[in-house]
Amino acid sequence: MIDPAALRILDFPDPALRRRADPVPAITDEVRAVAARMIDLMVRAEGIGLAAPQVGVPWRLFVAFVPPSPEDGRAPGDEPETCQAEPEVFINPVLRDFGGELVQFEEGCLSLPDIRGDVRRPDQVTLDALDLAGAPVTRRARGLLSRCWQHEADHLDGVLIIDRMTPMARMKNRSRIRDLERLAAGAR
Ligand code: NI
């Protein structure tokens, strides 16, 4: 059994971030408790998404919350493809039908402190997953919401933004990446 209270966000280069996660076989109380803890950790860290491998749990599950931006005054119901009304849990997610333009935008990651860089991703995507009740959900997203889902789905395959950054962004973050590797080596 996983103790949800003991879960923490792991930093690069923790090997847990590089493993391919396994499908969640059944949605149990343990899965619900881990998801609740992940939402708590994500909100406290002021992130918009968190994947289970980032807390050392090798499951295909992520949580996400892209709230409506206060500037545009839109409610989530007005624009369901661009934001969420509340934090959501997606279990065994599969992305398909990538579409729209390839957009370059700066991303960060809760597992890569002080690293930010441009990543190119398709603007639109469709997500198939199960919710916490085990019901299938299918959602189309664009903009930041689509980007968030693509970033989190990458974590389930051990892929990080430093793998996807433009060469310029990778160069800009090179010394910081090395610092994180040294820090981890020193802690061992
Ligand atoms: Ni991330």
Side-chain angles (χ1 to χ4, degrees):
M1 274 296 270
I2 296 165
D3 173 13
L7 299 178
R8 299 282 179 274
I9 298 175
L10 305 175
D11 285 347
F12 173 85
D14 194 296
L17 297 168
R18 289 310 200 173
R19 282 183 211 122
R20 196 181 149 80
D22 301 317
V24 177
I27 300 164
T28 58
D29 285 347
E30 182 183 36
V31 172
R32 281 184 278 269
V34 167
R37 171 68 174 164
M38 285 172 60
I39 288 173
D40 183 43
L41 288 168
M42 170 184 74
V43 169
R44 276 199 278 158
E46 297 180 6
I48 59 172
L50 186 66
Q54 290 182 273
V55 295
V57 176
W59 292 345
R60 302 192 78 78
L61 178 158
F62 70 77
V63 300
F65 184 34
V66 176
S69 107
E71 299 89 60
D72 61 23
R74 284 187 300 216
D78 302 339
E79 293 278 349
E81 291 194 354
T82 61
C83 58
Q84 297 163 285
E86 57 191 2
E88 290 181 287
V89 180
F90 298 109
I91 298 165
N92 299 338
V94 176
L95 298 182
R96 61 178 165 88
D97 295 338
F98 297 87
E101 286 186 28
L102 214 52
V103 181
Q104 188 168 316
F105 191 80
E106 192 181 69
E107 293 185 23
C109 177
L110 294 178
S111 293
L112 290 158
D114 301 322
I115 289 176
R116 299 193 65 83
D118 282 347
V119 177
R120 257 185 226 123
R121 298 189 194 270
D123 182 56
Q124 300 163 19
V125 76
T126 296
L127 168 83
D128 295 315
L130 298 177
D131 67 16
L132 272 187
V137 290
T138 293
R139 297 260 301 277
R140 184 80 179 159
R142 58 192 163 84
L144 184 61
L145 185 58
S146 163
R147 178 171 295 274
C148 171
W149 290 353
Q150 292 179 57
H151 174 126
E152 299 314 325
D154 271 351
H155 276 298
L156 308 182
D157 294 326
V159 174
L160 301 172
I161 53 172
I162 50 176
D163 311 323
R164 289 213 186 264
M165 274 181 193
T166 60
M168 278 285 279
R170 203 169 309 167
M171 200 121 80
K172 195 184 73 184
N173 286 287
R174 200 169 46 189
S175 70
R176 178 61 189 153
I177 293 167
R178 218 178 297 138
D179 286 349
L180 287 172
E181 286 169 339
R182 275 207 208 103
L183 201 67
R188 267 200 290 272

